[in-house]
Amino acid sequence: MSERSGTLADDPFGGRHPTSHERLTGLPWDASYREGPAPWDLGRPQPAVVRLASEGGFAGAVLDAGCGTGENALHVASLGLSVLGVDVAATALAIARAKADDRGIEVAFAAADAFQLERLGRRFETVLDCGLFHTFDRDERPGYVASLASVTEHDGTLYVLCFSGDGPDTGPHPISQEELRAAFNPSNGWKVAAIQPDRVQTRYHDDGAPAWLATIKRI
């Protein structure tokens, strides 16, 4: 990254270290939301999340890490659960809060760095990562996984919905099952309970992109 003057006004990343995706594009995540919907912003929750919720997959306090404009968090909260959605994109959070007000849904949204979730000062029984894990490169994953561990109750559940390379018309940053199992393992406090094929819906895929839905337990 180029030299900065040291003031937050001159730093599009708000004083935090930019992620690999941000370094690649040269833009903060917030830029994705400033001129119309982002490619992953459907205006509705991901079908995989709706299905999980209908099966009783969410319990207790719920964290949506990388919530974007809030559709998944809003859906889970509409079922009566306590939900906090966090993101680094201020524009996305403003849109999410406006949706909550318009729909009369009680849900909280807050700015947070995915690598410093312990600063929330809370723990959650269920954590959702829908489309965030796959944006981090191999070197970034250990820090993110540790951050998730710091806010997930023991025996809590983490769901990771990420692009996979299993099939045609894949999304960017595909992740293999082996990479998921390497990132979340007993040595860092996790046990992968299941990894199932699924789809991630985007604005650029007619029937979604190939994905994995991983169910991971905090141990």
Side-chain angles (χ1 to χ4, degrees), residues 27-53:
L27 296 170
W29 282 110
D30 193 63
S32 300
Y33 299 95
R34 291 176 190 158
E35 297 181 4
W40 54 85
D41 189 0
L42 304 176
R44 63 183 187 277
Q46 285 286 334
V49 175
V50 174
R51 187 179 68 252
L52 274 176

Side-chain angles (χ1 to χ4, degrees), residues 16 38 66 132 137:
R16 61 181 174 79
L132 182 57
D137 66 21

